[in-house]
Amino acid sequence: MCAESQQGCSGKEECILHDPDKRNHCYVLWTIDNVTKKSIIKLKGCFLDSNDCYDKPDCIEDNPERKKDLYFCCCDGNMCNQNFSWNPHPTSSKPTQPSVIHEFEPVPNTKQQAITLALLISIPMLLTFGSFFLWWLYRHRKLGYFNEVPTLEPLPMPPPSPTLGLRPIKLLEIKARGRFGAVWKAELKNDIVAVKVFPVQDKQSWQTEQEIFKLAHMDHEDILRFISVEKRGDNLQAEFWLITAYHERGSLCDYLKANIVTWPEMCRIAESMARGLMHLHEEIPANKADGYKPAVAHRDFKSKNVLLKADMSACIADFGLALIFYPNKPCGDTHGQVGTRRYMAPEVLEGAINFTRDSFLRIDMYACGLVLWELASRCTIQDGPIGEYRLPFEDEVGLHPTLEDMQESVVHKKERPLILETWRKHPGLLSICDTMEECWDHDAEARLSASCVVERVATLSRTLVLNSSTLIRVDNTNEIITTKESSM
């Protein structure tokens, strides 16, 4: 979105291609000042697959009829929206010439004319309704498709919860930008909240997130706290807001870039993170207070989607790609190859997913192993110098790997992030290393469950043998109590 000063339109955006059968385009949405007659850009950037944009090297608006003084154009090619113009095609005022009936052509009688007219009207209508029905059916089946733009409401949306209309929210500053929009630090009355702003093309992710948050039993300490949802603006300028609790420390990824963690902090983060994932994966029967909660797979689990609270415990966020597993109901025709390439499990990279609940939960656990590796790499307990923060597979495939890069590294070479020998010299970190290796096992069925990771880390955080005579215990408040044991 461009500021009135137009300074917001000077950057470049790399369009991410999510489907090899589709195209990316560039677009511009602008108005013209009635006084100065200068163009004022409102929106500019990447546009999803559209037949109207195919094979158009230049961004030209040719529609003479304007809606609310807004001009829109799209085009094919790198930076093709750098220049844009309005070049309307005038509608022809000449009457259509009647077709000439040659002398040798038979002139139809009145009955034939009526039949012909009926066919000319009914056949296009049948084709139109048939095409619309097939398109609706396709869209209905593909609701889970990765980053698909919903151009038709599949079902009536429930009202925001709680229903308070548009709230008096003041956006303060952008804290993060992600696949589905920007996250703002904002002020709601006297409280600081987070507002995740989805552009119109990512409305489906906004719908998925609120559907997950509104499930029973989702008010959990290790799941990001949901406050409300709102729709702001109309048409192409519409925005969809997700309002949640705000955590100043930000994501685990950003925190580890600038900070190192102690052993008690690492255990606290790892245990709460795994507990949040366990709660998400868990199927909980209905009780007197809450209804039934089905199992949910996150499908984009990574350190960017783990937030740190003030007490250094973690909570899980970003459910835009999550999948709900209702009992006796198949997953449907869900696109399996979604998420962040760096964190994709081997079976996802291969496109060989077994579309069952347990298969999707095991994909989350593979990514959990990588996040544990990120934590271990920045823990002060390791025997040796602590290196700079690195993303998983950064040494193997760099910062911007292609799908083919990840397939070669993870599937064919069966590579995993390097575990230093200095980590294994500490008994607690050794156990974490064993845990992460069992999480990212190439065989999906051999991977640990989230509940098993919680149990292991909880045990480690309570009791850790440092040497033959010292037992160190860490309680839930991170207080360290050292006692001497006669023999261990």
Side-chain angles (χ1 to χ4, degrees):
M1 180 173 292
C2 305
E4 290 299 327
S5 64
Q6 303 296 297
Q7 296 299 315
C9 292
S10 60
K12 295 181 181 179
E13 178 181 359
E14 181 178 352
C15 302
I16 301 172
L17 186 62
H18 299 304
D19 190 327
D21 296 329
K22 295 190 177 182
R23 298 190 191 181
N24 278 330
H25 313 289
C26 304
Y27 80 95
V28 184
L29 180 75
W30 78 96
T31 61
I32 296 178
D33 191 289
N34 292 329
V35 179
T36 64
K37 303 301 181 183
K38 290 185 178 180
S39 298
I40 301 173
I41 302 170
K42 294 293 186 181
L43 295 169
K44 198 174 187 181
C46 300
F47 199 69
L48 293 183
D49 188 80
S50 173
N51 289 331
D52 295 337
C53 310
Y54 277 20
D55 303 319
K56 291 176 64 175
D58 301 314
C59 202
I60 300 174
E61 166 66 281
D62 56 11
N63 189 349
E65 297 180 3
R66 306 289 353 111
K67 291 183 178 179
K68 297 184 179 179
D69 296 326
L70 288 173
Y71 298 79
F72 174 83
C73 67
C74 59
C75 52
D76 242 346
N78 290 332
M79 305 296 291
C80 65
N81 62 342
Q82 200 161 11
N83 299 312
F84 54 94
S85 61
W86 180 45
N87 184 21
H89 293 319
T91 55
S92 176
S93 59
K94 296 180 180 180
T96 306
Q97 293 293 328
S99 53
V100 178
I101 301 176
H102 298 285
E103 291 181 2
F104 56 85
E105 290 181 344
V107 178
N109 58 29
T110 306
K111 186 176 181 180
Q112 287 176 323
Q113 287 178 334
I115 294 172
T116 303
L117 185 62
L119 288 173
L120 286 173
I121 295 173
S122 60
I123 290 175
M125 288 181 64
L126 287 171
L127 289 173
T128 301
F129 282 115
S131 301
F132 178 80
F133 175 75
L134 291 173
W135 178 83
W136 178 87
L137 187 64
Y138 171 79
R139 295 289 301 179
H140 185 70
R141 287 172 57 81
K142 298 293 285 182
L143 285 178
Y145 195 89
F146 180 37
N147 212 22
E148 187 90 352
V149 180
T151 54
L152 180 72
E153 286 285 349
L155 288 172
M157 280 301 301
S161 175
T163 306
L164 294 175
L166 295 180
R167 294 164 174 240
I169 297 175
K170 181 182 179 182
L171 300 180
L172 302 177
E173 61 175 316
I174 290 181
K175 303 301 290 186
R177 289 188 183 274
R179 190 202 317 276
F180 297 127
V183 178
W184 287 77
K185 178 180 180 180
E187 189 175 11
L188 173 60
K189 296 181 179 178
N190 295 323
D191 297 325
I192 297 297
V193 296
V195 177
K196 190 173 182 181
V197 180
F198 296 80
V200 66
Q201 62 265 30
D202 289 322
K203 183 180 178 182
Q204 181 58 52
S205 300
W206 174 76
Q207 290 175 326
T208 302
E209 285 232 48
Q210 59 175 300
E211 184 182 1
I212 300 297
F213 277 120
K214 290 176 182 178
L215 290 173
H217 299 279
M218 283 298 285
D219 185 13
H220 188 274
E221 61 181 353
D222 300 313
I223 302 290
L224 178 62
R225 182 171 63 86
F226 169 76
I227 297 175
S228 180
V229 289
E230 290 182 4
K231 177 187 174 183
R232 303 246 175 166
D234 296 308
N235 302 324
L236 285 171
Q237 291 180 302
E239 290 180 345
F240 301 92
W241 289 15
L242 177 74
I243 305 157
T244 65
Y246 175 76
H247 298 295
E248 183 65 43
R249 294 185 188 272
S251 73
L252 176 60
C253 176
D254 292 334
Y255 185 84
L256 292 177
K257 286 178 184 177
N259 301 275
I260 54 178
V261 292
T262 63
W263 172 254
E265 287 173 340
M266 178 183 171
C267 288
R268 189 172 184 82
I269 295 168
E271 183 180 348
S272 52
M273 174 186 77
R275 191 185 299 111
L277 201 53
M278 178 182 75
H279 184 78
L280 198 65
H281 289 180
E282 192 175 10
E283 185 178 3
I284 304 175
N287 56 35
K288 293 181 180 178
D290 287 298
Y292 167 78
K293 177 202 166 292
V296 178
H298 191 285
R299 297 210 301 164
D300 193 21
F301 191 75
K302 56 183 177 181
S303 54
K304 272 280 185 186
N305 293 336
V306 176
L307 303 182
L308 284 184
K309 299 181 182 180
D311 64 354
M312 292 300 287
S313 63
C315 63
I316 298 176
D318 200 335
F319 302 107
L321 291 174
L323 195 57
I324 304 173
F325 299 97
Y326 291 103
N328 303 318
K329 185 179 178 182
C331 310
D333 188 17
T334 302
H335 185 37
Q337 205 169 49
V338 301
T340 304
R341 293 183 190 128
R342 187 180 302 278
Y343 292 85
M344 282 183 179
E347 62 270 26
V348 180
L349 292 168
E350 282 187 291
I353 301 173
N354 181 13
F355 282 73
T356 64
R357 182 191 71 174
D358 290 347
S359 296
F360 282 104
L361 303 188
R362 289 167 184 146
I363 290 168
D364 283 350
M365 295 315 300
Y366 171 89
C368 181
L370 297 180
V371 178
L372 288 174
W373 177 87
E374 292 174 70
L375 269 171
S377 70
R378 299 289 283 162
C379 183
T380 58
I381 204 72
Q382 58 186 278
D383 184 16
I386 302 171
E388 293 294 319
Y389 170 79
R390 311 281 280 178
L391 285 164
F393 298 105
E394 186 174 332
D395 292 330
E396 290 79 8
V397 297
L399 286 171
H400 304 288
T402 64
L403 196 63
E404 291 73 21
D405 293 335
M406 295 306 302
Q407 287 170 339
E408 177 66 22
S409 176
V410 175
V411 179
H412 303 308
K413 295 182 180 178
K414 295 187 178 180
E415 291 178 330
R416 296 294 184 270
L418 179 64
I419 295 176
L420 300 178
E421 285 304 314
T422 53
W423 300 1
R424 299 184 185 275
K425 292 181 180 178
H426 181 270
L429 212 49
L430 173 62
S431 179
I432 294 291
C433 291
D434 292 340
T435 301
M436 69 177 74
E437 285 182 314
E438 290 181 66
C439 283
W440 68 40
D441 197 293
H442 204 82
D443 179 8
E445 293 186 2
R447 292 174 198 154
L448 295 178
S449 65
S451 59
C452 188
V453 175
V454 170
E455 186 178 345
R456 286 194 183 187
V457 180
T459 302
L460 279 175
S461 65
R462 286 193 298 268
T463 306
L464 170 65
V465 178
L466 284 181
N467 53 47
S468 59
S469 61
T470 305
L471 178 68
I472 190 165
R473 302 181 188 277
V474 184
D475 66 13
N476 290 331
T477 61
N478 285 347
E479 293 295 328
I480 301 176
I481 308 163
T482 306
T483 58
K484 295 290 182 177
E485 300 289 337
S486 57
S487 61
M488 293 299 296

